[in-house]
Amino acid sequence: MLKLFRVIALLEGTSYILLILAMPIKYLLNDETYVKILGMPHGILFIGYISMSIIGKFKYKWNYKQFFIITIASLIPFGTFYIDQKYLR
């Protein structure tokens, strides 16, 4: 399960960064293509990341502080990469 969580975390972090890079293209160049392409996969990966963090809390007996840090990292750019290095290895 931890291996799957790591893959989801890395994909979610990558999709988040790509989505952030796509936002200026949407608003400055009036081209929504990249946001439309990246939006749904990022949403699914985000839900998967949150679900895996909830499962991981019970399976790996993370305390509330660890769980909070792991969960909130999905909202911070590059946060999931930090979580992978600190908690998921």
Side-chain angles (χ1 to χ4, degrees):
M1 187 193 108
L2 200 55
K3 194 174 213 177
L4 177 61
F5 191 13
R6 288 187 69 202
V7 170
I8 290 174
L10 294 174
L11 289 174
E12 196 277 333
T14 303
S15 71
Y16 187 31
I17 292 166
L18 291 174
L19 197 56
I20 288 171
L21 294 173
M23 294 305 286
I25 295 170
K26 176 182 177 181
Y27 290 108
L28 296 176
L29 302 176
N30 292 325
D31 185 4
E32 297 181 356
T33 306
Y34 298 108
V35 174
K36 285 182 179 180
I37 292 170
L38 295 168
M40 180 65 78
H42 171 70
I44 292 168
L45 289 165
F46 177 76
I47 291 169
Y49 181 88
I50 297 299
S51 300
M52 294 296 281
S53 69
I54 292 169
I55 293 167
K57 189 217 181 310
F58 297 105
K59 183 169 180 141
Y60 301 110
K61 299 183 183 9
W62 293 327
N63 62 38
Y64 285 106
K65 181 181 176 185
Q66 290 172 318
F67 174 66
F68 178 76
I69 291 169
I70 290 167
T71 304
I72 206 76
S74 64
L75 303 176
I76 302 167
F78 300 100
T80 58
F81 302 116
Y82 169 76
I83 295 304
D84 180 54
Q85 292 293 318
K86 175 106 175 157
Y87 294 100
L88 302 180
R89 288 198 174 209

